[in-house]
Amino acid sequence: MSSENTRVFPVEKSGKLDSRFRRWLHNPQKILRPYVKEGMSVLEVGCGPGFFTLDIARMAGKSGRVVAVDLQEGMLEIVREKIRGSGLEGNIVLHKCEVDRLGVSGSFDLVFLFYVVHEVPDRRALFRELVALLRDGGLVYVEEPPFEVSKKAFEETLRIAGSAGLVVTERPKRFPDKVAVLKKP
Ligand SMILES: C[S@@+](CC[C@H](N)C(=O)[O-])C[C@H]1O[C@@H](n2cnc3c(N)ncnc32)[C@H](O)[C@@H]1O
């Protein structure tokens, strides 16, 4: 599953997700700091070329772990290269998922979804699976892009997440993106 699904961000353009401009616009440390703590178990869905992955692992520290999941093996291969020699090899697990099933096991403190939910055809199935993977009190961070995702579509995503059992706890302002933090009660 990759090029025939036009909803999915192509591996060939992954450099766009990893530019210096983006590092300024979406400063990973700034975005992650309020949510990622030492020792946490973090599930990153749609990690792409790993723009956030290594920062998440550093912030979760030696006792933490990151499971980074993507639909496209090409994206995971880029992350694999980044991890090599970083000292984080033991803290990051890469996993190739199916379009409608993550297929991950474990219990997570935080799920990180950056610019990915609009690419997933079945949001209901996604959030149901995420709720099952979250510990009680665990958080889901969702950020969606301004042009691809309308206000209405984002609200619909939050409604779907709500039906799956999540509660919105925060609406961080990161104009022009749409952002929400949800909790499994
Ligand atoms: C726009 S990119 C964002 C990547 C990364 N989160 C970032 O912000 O740099 C979206 C990523 O989600 C992945 N993706 C799309 N549909 C997916 C699905 N159903 N399950 C998991 N990953 C998916 C794509 O392969 C792509 O790498």
Side-chain angles (χ1 to χ4, degrees):
M1 167 59 66
S2 63
S3 48
E4 70 267 43
N5 185 344
T6 51
R7 297 167 63 101
V8 174
F9 195 94
V11 174
E12 309 84 72
K13 292 192 179 164
S14 62
K16 286 193 172 183
L17 295 170
D18 225 348
S19 65
R20 281 173 69 178
F21 173 68
R22 189 172 186 216
R23 202 151 278 280
W24 169 80
L25 187 70
H26 292 155
N27 184 316
Q29 292 282 329
K30 231 176 171 170
I31 291 173
L32 297 165
R33 199 173 297 126
Y35 309 105
V36 182
K37 309 287 177 206
E38 182 90 28
M40 271 190 167
S41 204
V42 181
L43 174 62
E44 184 189 14
V45 178
C47 61
F51 178 75
F52 291 99
T53 313
L54 277 74
D55 282 290
I56 298 173
R58 283 190 197 100
M59 294 171 92
K62 288 222 173 312
S63 57
R65 73 173 181 133
V66 183
V67 178
V69 176
D70 206 283
L71 189 58
Q72 301 183 84
E73 185 55 44
M75 291 293 194
L76 295 174
E77 196 46 52
I78 296 169
V79 190
R80 202 166 282 125
E81 275 304 310
K82 284 185 180 171
I83 297 170
R84 192 166 293 147
S86 68
L88 296 165
E89 291 87 343
N91 302 85
I92 303 173
V93 175
L94 300 179
H95 174 79
K96 187 188 165 313
C97 65
E98 302 301 321
V99 68
D100 52 1
R101 188 168 177 270
L102 298 175
V104 169
S105 57
S107 172
F108 294 89
D109 301 296
L110 174 70
V111 175
F112 188 69
L113 299 158
F114 204 103
Y115 281 21
V116 59
V117 174
H118 65 285
E119 294 191 8
V120 178
D122 190 345
R123 287 174 282 175
R124 277 178 189 75
L126 173 68
F127 281 104
R128 267 199 305 267
E129 195 173 358
L130 293 180
V131 168
L133 289 167
L134 267 180
R135 69 159 171 80
D136 290 349
L139 298 180
V140 179
Y141 180 98
V142 187
E143 181 152 346
E144 289 283 77
F147 303 115
E148 294 86 339
V149 179
S150 66
K151 187 173 182 302
K152 191 168 166 228
F154 190 65
E155 293 310 316
E156 176 64 5
T157 289
L158 297 186
R159 199 192 59 71
I160 290 169
S163 305
L166 297 170
V167 178
V168 176
T169 58
E170 202 189 333
R171 298 292 293 262
K173 293 259 177 291
R174 289 191 23 80
F175 182 82
D177 287 359
K178 297 168 181 75
V179 191
V181 180
L182 303 100
K183 187 176 195 165
K184 178 175 175 179

PDB file of all heavy atoms in Angstrom, residues 13-35:
ATOM      1  N   LYS A  13       8.631  12.279  -1.439  1.00  0.00           N
ATOM      2  CA  LYS A  13       8.581  13.680  -0.999  1.00  0.00           C
ATOM      3  C   LYS A  13       8.892  13.826   0.485  1.00  0.00           C
ATOM      4  O   LYS A  13       8.638  14.873   1.082  1.00  0.00           O
ATOM      5  CB  LYS A  13       7.195  14.266  -1.300  1.00  0.00           C
ATOM      6  CG  LYS A  13       6.927  14.402  -2.780  1.00  0.00           C
ATOM      7  CD  LYS A  13       5.693  15.243  -3.020  1.00  0.00           C
ATOM      8  CE  LYS A  13       5.445  15.396  -4.516  1.00  0.00           C
ATOM      9  NZ  LYS A  13       4.103  15.863  -4.819  1.00  0.00           N
ATOM     10  N   SER A  14       9.418  12.774   1.092  1.00  0.00           N
ATOM     11  CA  SER A  14       9.591  12.784   2.549  1.00  0.00           C
ATOM     12  C   SER A  14      10.544  13.890   3.023  1.00  0.00           C
ATOM     13  O   SER A  14      10.460  14.339   4.165  1.00  0.00           O
ATOM     14  CB  SER A  14      10.082  11.424   3.042  1.00  0.00           C
ATOM     15  OG  SER A  14      11.339  11.153   2.470  1.00  0.00           O
ATOM     16  N   GLY A  15      11.436  14.351   2.119  1.00  0.00           N
ATOM     17  CA  GLY A  15      12.363  15.431   2.474  1.00  0.00           C
ATOM     18  C   GLY A  15      11.622  16.688   2.919  1.00  0.00           C
ATOM     19  O   GLY A  15      12.103  17.448   3.761  1.00  0.00           O
ATOM     20  N   LYS A  16      10.440  16.882   2.364  1.00  0.00           N
ATOM     21  CA  LYS A  16       9.627  18.056   2.731  1.00  0.00           C
ATOM     22  C   LYS A  16       9.216  18.024   4.199  1.00  0.00           C
ATOM     23  O   LYS A  16       8.922  19.055   4.798  1.00  0.00           O
ATOM     24  CB  LYS A  16       8.349  18.110   1.880  1.00  0.00           C
ATOM     25  CG  LYS A  16       8.575  18.534   0.471  1.00  0.00           C
ATOM     26  CD  LYS A  16       7.252  18.872  -0.178  1.00  0.00           C
ATOM     27  CE  LYS A  16       7.503  19.495  -1.527  1.00  0.00           C
ATOM     28  NZ  LYS A  16       6.295  19.918  -2.197  1.00  0.00           N
ATOM     29  N   LEU A  17       9.135  16.811   4.731  1.00  0.00           N
ATOM     30  CA  LEU A  17       8.712  16.663   6.131  1.00  0.00           C
ATOM     31  C   LEU A  17       9.891  16.839   7.084  1.00  0.00           C
ATOM     32  O   LEU A  17       9.726  16.788   8.294  1.00  0.00           O
ATOM     33  CB  LEU A  17       8.098  15.272   6.344  1.00  0.00           C
ATOM     34  CG  LEU A  17       6.795  14.985   5.598  1.00  0.00           C
ATOM     35  CD1 LEU A  17       6.441  13.515   5.704  1.00  0.00           C
ATOM     36  CD2 LEU A  17       5.660  15.850   6.142  1.00  0.00           C
ATOM     37  N   ASP A  18      11.075  17.021   6.520  1.00  0.00           N
ATOM     38  CA  ASP A  18      12.277  16.990   7.347  1.00  0.00           C
ATOM     39  C   ASP A  18      13.182  18.193   7.094  1.00  0.00           C
ATOM     40  O   ASP A  18      14.389  18.101   7.294  1.00  0.00           O
ATOM     41  CB  ASP A  18      13.047  15.696   7.011  1.00  0.00           C
ATOM     42  CG  ASP A  18      13.521  15.017   8.268  1.00  0.00           C
ATOM     43  OD1 ASP A  18      13.447  15.644   9.330  1.00  0.00           O
ATOM     44  OD2 ASP A  18      13.991  13.870   8.172  1.00  0.00           O
ATOM     45  N   SER A  19      12.593  19.307   6.677  1.00  0.00           N
ATOM     46  CA  SER A  19      13.402  20.473   6.293  1.00  0.00           C
ATOM     47  C   SER A  19      13.743  21.342   7.504  1.00  0.00           C
ATOM     48  O   SER A  19      13.130  21.222   8.574  1.00  0.00           O
ATOM     49  CB  SER A  19      12.625  21.313   5.285  1.00  0.00           C
ATOM     50  OG  SER A  19      11.477  21.834   5.921  1.00  0.00           O
ATOM     51  N   ARG A  20      14.706  22.244   7.310  1.00  0.00           N
ATOM     52  CA  ARG A  20      15.060  23.181   8.390  1.00  0.00           C
ATOM     53  C   ARG A  20      13.905  24.128   8.670  1.00  0.00           C
ATOM     54  O   ARG A  20      13.655  24.508   9.815  1.00  0.00           O
ATOM     55  CB  ARG A  20      16.306  23.977   7.998  1.00  0.00           C
ATOM     56  CG  ARG A  20      17.559  23.151   8.194  1.00  0.00           C
ATOM     57  CD  ARG A  20      18.769  23.826   7.672  1.00  0.00           C
ATOM     58  NE  ARG A  20      19.138  25.000   8.447  1.00  0.00           N
ATOM     59  CZ  ARG A  20      20.206  25.740   8.202  1.00  0.00           C
ATOM     60  NH1 ARG A  20      20.987  25.435   7.183  1.00  0.00           N
ATOM     61  NH2 ARG A  20      20.487  26.777   8.949  1.00  0.00           N
ATOM     62  N   PHE A  21      13.205  24.505   7.586  1.00  0.00           N
ATOM     63  CA  PHE A  21      12.034  25.372   7.771  1.00  0.00           C
ATOM     64  C   PHE A  21      11.021  24.691   8.685  1.00  0.00           C
ATOM     65  O   PHE A  21      10.453  25.290   9.599  1.00  0.00           O
ATOM     66  CB  PHE A  21      11.388  25.687   6.416  1.00  0.00           C
ATOM     67  CG  PHE A  21      10.087  26.430   6.542  1.00  0.00           C
ATOM     68  CD1 PHE A  21      10.063  27.744   7.009  1.00  0.00           C
ATOM     69  CD2 PHE A  21       8.879  25.813   6.217  1.00  0.00           C
ATOM     70  CE1 PHE A  21       8.856  28.429   7.138  1.00  0.00           C
ATOM     71  CE2 PHE A  21       7.674  26.485   6.354  1.00  0.00           C
ATOM     72  CZ  PHE A  21       7.664  27.794   6.813  1.00  0.00           C
ATOM     73  N   ARG A  22      10.826  23.388   8.444  1.00  0.00           N
ATOM     74  CA  ARG A  22       9.841  22.682   9.272  1.00  0.00           C
ATOM     75  C   ARG A  22      10.299  22.593  10.727  1.00  0.00           C
ATOM     76  O   ARG A  22       9.492  22.673  11.654  1.00  0.00           O
ATOM     77  CB  ARG A  22       9.592  21.280   8.712  1.00  0.00           C
ATOM     78  CG  ARG A  22       8.427  20.668   9.460  1.00  0.00           C
ATOM     79  CD  ARG A  22       7.940  19.398   8.917  1.00  0.00           C
ATOM     80  NE  ARG A  22       6.759  19.023   9.655  1.00  0.00           N
ATOM     81  CZ  ARG A  22       6.432  17.798   9.972  1.00  0.00           C
ATOM     82  NH1 ARG A  22       7.184  16.787   9.567  1.00  0.00           N
ATOM     83  NH2 ARG A  22       5.352  17.553  10.673  1.00  0.00           N
ATOM     84  N   ARG A  23      11.590  22.421  10.918  1.00  0.00           N
ATOM     85  CA  ARG A  23      12.119  22.349  12.291  1.00  0.00           C
ATOM     86  C   ARG A  23      11.804  23.644  13.052  1.00  0.00           C
ATOM     87  O   ARG A  23      11.572  23.653  14.250  1.00  0.00           O
ATOM     88  CB  ARG A  23      13.636  22.089  12.238  1.00  0.00           C
ATOM     89  CG  ARG A  23      14.212  21.483  13.485  1.00  0.00           C
ATOM     90  CD  ARG A  23      15.422  20.633  13.214  1.00  0.00           C
ATOM     91  NE  ARG A  23      15.042  19.295  12.783  1.00  0.00           N
ATOM     92  CZ  ARG A  23      14.653  18.317  13.596  1.00  0.00           C
ATOM     93  NH1 ARG A  23      14.619  18.511  14.894  1.00  0.00           N
ATOM     94  NH2 ARG A  23      14.310  17.145  13.132  1.00  0.00           N
ATOM     95  N   TRP A  24      11.800  24.755  12.302  1.00  0.00           N
ATOM     96  CA  TRP A  24      11.443  26.034  12.907  1.00  0.00           C
ATOM     97  C   TRP A  24       9.927  26.104  13.150  1.00  0.00           C
ATOM     98  O   TRP A  24       9.466  26.493  14.220  1.00  0.00           O
ATOM     99  CB  TRP A  24      11.905  27.180  11.978  1.00  0.00           C
ATOM    100  CG  TRP A  24      11.375  28.518  12.369  1.00  0.00           C
ATOM    101  CD1 TRP A  24      11.852  29.333  13.361  1.00  0.00           C
ATOM    102  CD2 TRP A  24      10.244  29.180  11.807  1.00  0.00           C
ATOM    103  NE1 TRP A  24      11.090  30.467  13.439  1.00  0.00           N
ATOM    104  CE2 TRP A  24      10.091  30.408  12.499  1.00  0.00           C
ATOM    105  CE3 TRP A  24       9.348  28.857  10.771  1.00  0.00           C
ATOM    106  CZ2 TRP A  24       9.075  31.311  12.203  1.00  0.00           C
ATOM    107  CZ3 TRP A  24       8.338  29.776  10.478  1.00  0.00           C
ATOM    108  CH2 TRP A  24       8.210  30.978  11.189  1.00  0.00           C
ATOM    109  N   LEU A  25       9.177  25.662  12.131  1.00  0.00           N
ATOM    110  CA  LEU A  25       7.707  25.759  12.194  1.00  0.00           C
ATOM    111  C   LEU A  25       7.118  24.785  13.218  1.00  0.00           C
ATOM    112  O   LEU A  25       6.213  25.131  13.976  1.00  0.00           O
ATOM    113  CB  LEU A  25       7.144  25.440  10.798  1.00  0.00           C
ATOM    114  CG  LEU A  25       5.666  25.624  10.566  1.00  0.00           C
ATOM    115  CD1 LEU A  25       5.327  27.116  10.572  1.00  0.00           C
ATOM    116  CD2 LEU A  25       5.255  25.017   9.212  1.00  0.00           C
ATOM    117  N   HIS A  26       7.612  23.562  13.188  1.00  0.00           N
ATOM    118  CA  HIS A  26       7.099  22.500  14.070  1.00  0.00           C
ATOM    119  C   HIS A  26       8.205  22.030  14.995  1.00  0.00           C
ATOM    120  O   HIS A  26       8.582  20.861  14.974  1.00  0.00           O
ATOM    121  CB  HIS A  26       6.607  21.306  13.235  1.00  0.00           C
ATOM    122  CG  HIS A  26       5.391  21.581  12.419  1.00  0.00           C
ATOM    123  ND1 HIS A  26       5.068  20.882  11.275  1.00  0.00           N
ATOM    124  CD2 HIS A  26       4.400  22.502  12.587  1.00  0.00           C
ATOM    125  CE1 HIS A  26       3.935  21.348  10.784  1.00  0.00           C
ATOM    126  NE2 HIS A  26       3.498  22.325  11.546  1.00  0.00           N
ATOM    127  N   ASN A  27       8.751  22.942  15.761  1.00  0.00           N
ATOM    128  CA  ASN A  27       9.867  22.603  16.666  1.00  0.00           C
ATOM    129  C   ASN A  27       9.503  21.388  17.547  1.00  0.00           C
ATOM    130  O   ASN A  27       8.653  21.503  18.446  1.00  0.00           O
ATOM    131  CB  ASN A  27      10.179  23.818  17.536  1.00  0.00           C
ATOM    132  CG  ASN A  27      11.360  23.599  18.436  1.00  0.00           C
ATOM    133  OD1 ASN A  27      11.475  22.540  19.057  1.00  0.00           O
ATOM    134  ND2 ASN A  27      12.233  24.574  18.511  1.00  0.00           N
ATOM    135  N   PRO A  28      10.110  20.234  17.291  1.00  0.00           N
ATOM    136  CA  PRO A  28       9.690  19.014  18.003  1.00  0.00           C
ATOM    137  C   PRO A  28       9.796  19.137  19.521  1.00  0.00           C
ATOM    138  O   PRO A  28       8.890  18.707  20.236  1.00  0.00           O
ATOM    139  CB  PRO A  28      10.637  17.928  17.468  1.00  0.00           C
ATOM    140  CG  PRO A  28      11.113  18.440  16.163  1.00  0.00           C
ATOM    141  CD  PRO A  28      11.183  19.936  16.313  1.00  0.00           C
ATOM    142  N   GLN A  29      10.895  19.743  19.993  1.00  0.00           N
ATOM    143  CA  GLN A  29      11.074  19.874  21.447  1.00  0.00           C
ATOM    144  C   GLN A  29       9.930  20.675  22.068  1.00  0.00           C
ATOM    145  O   GLN A  29       9.381  20.305  23.097  1.00  0.00           O
ATOM    146  CB  GLN A  29      12.404  20.563  21.748  1.00  0.00           C
ATOM    147  CG  GLN A  29      13.622  19.732  21.384  1.00  0.00           C
ATOM    148  CD  GLN A  29      13.913  18.660  22.419  1.00  0.00           C
ATOM    149  OE1 GLN A  29      13.644  18.840  23.591  1.00  0.00           O
ATOM    150  NE2 GLN A  29      14.467  17.545  21.978  1.00  0.00           N
ATOM    151  N   LYS A  30       9.594  21.776  21.410  1.00  0.00           N
ATOM    152  CA  LYS A  30       8.543  22.657  21.925  1.00  0.00           C
ATOM    153  C   LYS A  30       7.184  21.952  21.936  1.00  0.00           C
ATOM    154  O   LYS A  30       6.414  22.043  22.898  1.00  0.00           O
ATOM    155  CB  LYS A  30       8.451  23.884  21.011  1.00  0.00           C
ATOM    156  CG  LYS A  30       8.503  25.198  21.715  1.00  0.00           C
ATOM    157  CD  LYS A  30       8.504  26.259  20.659  1.00  0.00           C
ATOM    158  CE  LYS A  30       8.350  27.622  21.240  1.00  0.00           C
ATOM    159  NZ  LYS A  30       8.583  28.647  20.219  1.00  0.00           N
ATOM    160  N   ILE A  31       6.907  21.229  20.847  1.00  0.00           N
ATOM    161  CA  ILE A  31       5.608  20.553  20.726  1.00  0.00           C
ATOM    162  C   ILE A  31       5.502  19.395  21.712  1.00  0.00           C
ATOM    163  O   ILE A  31       4.469  19.188  22.358  1.00  0.00           O
ATOM    164  CB  ILE A  31       5.398  20.063  19.268  1.00  0.00           C
ATOM    165  CG1 ILE A  31       5.213  21.274  18.345  1.00  0.00           C
ATOM    166  CG2 ILE A  31       4.213  19.102  19.169  1.00  0.00           C
ATOM    167  CD1 ILE A  31       5.177  20.945  16.871  1.00  0.00           C
ATOM    168  N   LEU A  32       6.612  18.659  21.864  1.00  0.00           N
ATOM    169  CA  LEU A  32       6.552  17.426  22.657  1.00  0.00           C
ATOM    170  C   LEU A  32       6.707  17.651  24.163  1.00  0.00           C
ATOM    171  O   LEU A  32       6.200  16.860  24.965  1.00  0.00           O
ATOM    172  CB  LEU A  32       7.656  16.467  22.185  1.00  0.00           C
ATOM    173  CG  LEU A  32       7.567  15.971  20.736  1.00  0.00           C
ATOM    174  CD1 LEU A  32       8.893  15.348  20.298  1.00  0.00           C
ATOM    175  CD2 LEU A  32       6.440  14.951  20.602  1.00  0.00           C
ATOM    176  N   ARG A  33       7.436  18.728  24.516  1.00  0.00           N
ATOM    177  CA  ARG A  33       7.820  18.917  25.934  1.00  0.00           C
ATOM    178  C   ARG A  33       6.667  18.768  26.933  1.00  0.00           C
ATOM    179  O   ARG A  33       6.836  18.118  27.969  1.00  0.00           O
ATOM    180  CB  ARG A  33       8.526  20.269  26.112  1.00  0.00           C
ATOM    181  CG  ARG A  33       9.341  20.334  27.404  1.00  0.00           C
ATOM    182  CD  ARG A  33      10.171  21.607  27.492  1.00  0.00           C
ATOM    183  NE  ARG A  33      11.167  21.722  26.458  1.00  0.00           N
ATOM    184  CZ  ARG A  33      11.296  22.765  25.632  1.00  0.00           C
ATOM    185  NH1 ARG A  33      10.482  23.793  25.718  1.00  0.00           N
ATOM    186  NH2 ARG A  33      12.233  22.783  24.715  1.00  0.00           N
ATOM    187  N   PRO A  34       5.497  19.337  26.664  1.00  0.00           N
ATOM    188  CA  PRO A  34       4.435  19.217  27.684  1.00  0.00           C
ATOM    189  C   PRO A  34       3.896  17.794  27.861  1.00  0.00           C
ATOM    190  O   PRO A  34       3.235  17.507  28.854  1.00  0.00           O
ATOM    191  CB  PRO A  34       3.316  20.123  27.138  1.00  0.00           C
ATOM    192  CG  PRO A  34       3.932  20.953  26.077  1.00  0.00           C
ATOM    193  CD  PRO A  34       5.091  20.179  25.534  1.00  0.00           C
ATOM    194  N   TYR A  35       4.179  16.921  26.894  1.00  0.00           N
ATOM    195  CA  TYR A  35       3.504  15.622  26.898  1.00  0.00           C
ATOM    196  C   TYR A  35       4.428  14.416  27.102  1.00  0.00           C
ATOM    197  O   TYR A  35       4.001  13.386  27.606  1.00  0.00           O
ATOM    198  CB  TYR A  35       2.720  15.446  25.589  1.00  0.00           C
ATOM    199  CG  TYR A  35       1.846  16.634  25.317  1.00  0.00           C
ATOM    200  CD1 TYR A  35       2.180  17.578  24.351  1.00  0.00           C
ATOM    201  CD2 TYR A  35       0.712  16.869  26.100  1.00  0.00           C
ATOM    202  CE1 TYR A  35       1.394  18.716  24.140  1.00  0.00           C
ATOM    203  CE2 TYR A  35      -0.068  17.998  25.903  1.00  0.00           C
ATOM    204  CZ  TYR A  35       0.276  18.911  24.926  1.00  0.00           C
ATOM    205  OH  TYR A  35      -0.479  20.025  24.743  1.00  0.00           O
TER     206      TYR A  35
END
